[in-house]
Amino acid sequence: RTPPSRPQRMAKKKRVKQHKVWRERKQRRDQQRRRSSLTHLQPTSLAARAVASSRSASSGGGGGGGDGCGSGRLWVTNYTSRQSILVVGDGDFSFSRGLVQHRGSGRLLVLTAYDSRAVTLAKYQVAERILGELEKADASVFFGVDATRLDRTLPRSEDNRIKLRKGSMAAAFDRIVFNFPHTGKQRVHLNRNLLRNFFASAKPWLKQGGEIHVTLKERLPYTGWNVEEQATLNDLQLKVKLDFDPDEFPGYHHHTTDPTAVKFELDRHCLKTFVFVEKQ
């Protein structure tokens, strides 16, 4: 049998690649249709969502192994325009921009980065354009905010209010969001400390009934950080664990704030948002 020529091999590779792209697009469209068809059936409480999600996983929705990956993606993280939301550690603000589109408004959004404005603009080419879009949406942006020291680094007035682009608000939030926290170093104890110190810092900023959302990959080494244990040490308890779908936040691309850190790939089958509330 005559082996295929180089053009034939290249053509075959191209067909395989095109088929893969088509299959991924079809899967995304199918997921969107399933979510749309289930909208009128969705439980309103997060507790009900947790029950539904666990039932979906136990019924074999998606397979998956002991690392939590591949479970049924039925209930996803959701935010509304009525909620006051603090976002910490958003490197290039692409999640923040996606959040504005997700909830349809920049009102009551306080969006922060650990870096200074100058460093942020130097690190991320898209940052200047995104910041302009956030400004037009009336979202409030702050730089140099340390998620583990909010009391010292998040600006507020003497009467404990946060100045927004339009008006001000009490220094308390319905939701505090930290996506993919990481020290930039592959050291379990350092990342455990980061989570524990973040929970201690964020808890006083919650409204009554408010929630802290931490999104992580549910696989090693991230499962070794024991996020639930770090929350428990700060008198917080897990309310529910939801799927995190980057497509819910248009234009979101994860970037590590440390340019020397190991490149982080979003494996959407393993992304979970842990929702914590104060212990009752």
Side-chain angles (χ1 to χ4, degrees), residues 10 13 25 35 37 42 51 72 91 110 112 115 121 138 154 163 175 186 193 200 226 246 250 252 261 267:
M10 296 297 292
K13 286 183 179 180
R25 288 177 178 173
R35 284 200 295 268
S37 64
Q42 286 191 10
V51 172
V110 176
T112 72
D115 293 320
L121 293 176
D138 292 328
L154 185 59
K163 185 178 180 181
R175 303 288 185 268
Q186 301 297 334
N193 290 343
N226 301 336
Y252 173 47
D267 183 350

Side-chain angles (χ1 to χ4, degrees), residues 86-89 110 112-113 144-156 160 162 171 173 176-178 197-206 212:
L86 169 64
V87 177
V88 300
V110 176
T112 72
V145 176
D146 185 341
T148 65
R149 302 174 64 195
L150 292 174
D151 59 329
R152 297 186 181 183
T153 59
L154 185 59
R156 52 182 167 169
N160 201 36
I162 297 175
F173 298 91
I176 299 178
V177 180
F178 198 174
N197 293 335
F198 162 65
F199 287 127
S201 172
K203 184 182 174 184
W205 294 76
L206 279 180
I212 296 176

Side-chain angles (χ1 to χ4, degrees), residues 26-271:
K26 184 177 183 299
Q27 288 175 346
R28 285 197 294 268
R29 287 196 300 268
D30 289 344
Q31 288 175 357
Q32 291 171 353
R33 280 197 293 269
R34 283 197 296 272
R35 284 200 295 268
S36 298
S37 64
L38 289 167
T39 299
H40 66 290
L41 298 176
Q42 286 191 10
T44 54
S45 71
L46 286 175
R49 291 185 183 190
V51 172
S53 184
S54 63
R55 286 176 179 171
S56 173
S58 64
S59 65
D67 61 358
C69 299
S71 61
R73 300 184 59 77
L74 188 58
W75 311 115
V76 297
T77 313
N78 183 59
Y79 302 100
T80 73
S81 60
R82 294 184 179 182
Q83 296 167 344
S84 55
I85 302 175
L86 169 64
V87 177
V88 300
D90 195 2
D92 66 354
F93 289 96
S94 64
F95 172 77
S96 295
R97 178 183 58 184
L99 180 60
V100 170
Q101 296 184 45
H102 171 87
R103 66 200 288 273
S105 171
R107 244 184 102 257
L108 300 179
L109 283 186
V110 176
L111 314 169
T112 72
Y114 178 78
D115 293 320
S116 67
R117 182 183 182 92
V119 171
T120 298
L121 293 176
K123 274 186 181 181
Y124 311 108
Q125 293 182 350
V126 298
E128 186 171 6
R129 175 168 54 83
I130 291 177
L131 290 171
E133 294 176 18
L134 293 175
E135 183 177 340
K136 291 179 181 178
D138 292 328
S140 302
V141 177
F142 297 96
F143 297 90
V145 176
D146 185 341
T148 65
R149 302 174 64 195
L150 292 174
D151 59 329
R152 297 186 181 183
T153 59
L154 185 59
R156 52 182 167 169
S157 61
E158 292 182 359
D159 58 351
N160 201 36
R161 295 186 68 81
I162 297 175
K163 185 178 180 181
L164 305 177
R165 280 194 59 78
K166 290 186 176 179
S168 64
M169 62 174 284
F173 298 91
D174 296 303
R175 303 288 185 268
I176 299 178
V177 180
F178 198 174
N179 290 327
F180 308 108
H182 202 295
T183 61
K185 299 178 180 178
Q186 301 297 334
R187 296 289 182 271
V188 170
H189 71 285
L190 294 179
N191 288 295
R192 287 178 179 174
N193 290 343
L194 170 64
L195 288 170
R196 184 166 59 252
N197 293 335
F198 162 65
F199 287 127
S201 172
K203 184 182 174 184
W205 294 76
L206 279 180
K207 286 184 178 179
Q208 185 174 1
E211 300 172 356
I212 296 176
H213 292 194
V214 176
T215 300
L216 291 167
K217 282 187 179 183
E218 197 171 47
R219 66 187 308 170
L220 292 172
Y222 312 100
T223 50
W225 299 356
N226 301 336
V227 61
E228 294 180 46
E229 179 182 330
Q230 312 316 320
T232 300
L233 292 172
N234 287 284
D235 291 322
L236 296 164
Q237 63 185 22
L238 182 69
K239 181 176 181 180
V240 69
K241 185 166 57 176
L242 301 173
D243 288 325
F244 178 85
D245 186 353
D247 291 341
E248 293 288 328
F249 309 95
Y252 173 47
H253 298 286
H254 177 77
H255 291 283
T256 55
T257 52
D258 182 354
T260 65
V262 176
K263 187 176 181 181
F264 184 96
E265 297 291 344
L266 285 181
D267 183 350
R268 63 182 62 242
H269 298 295
C270 296
L271 308 181

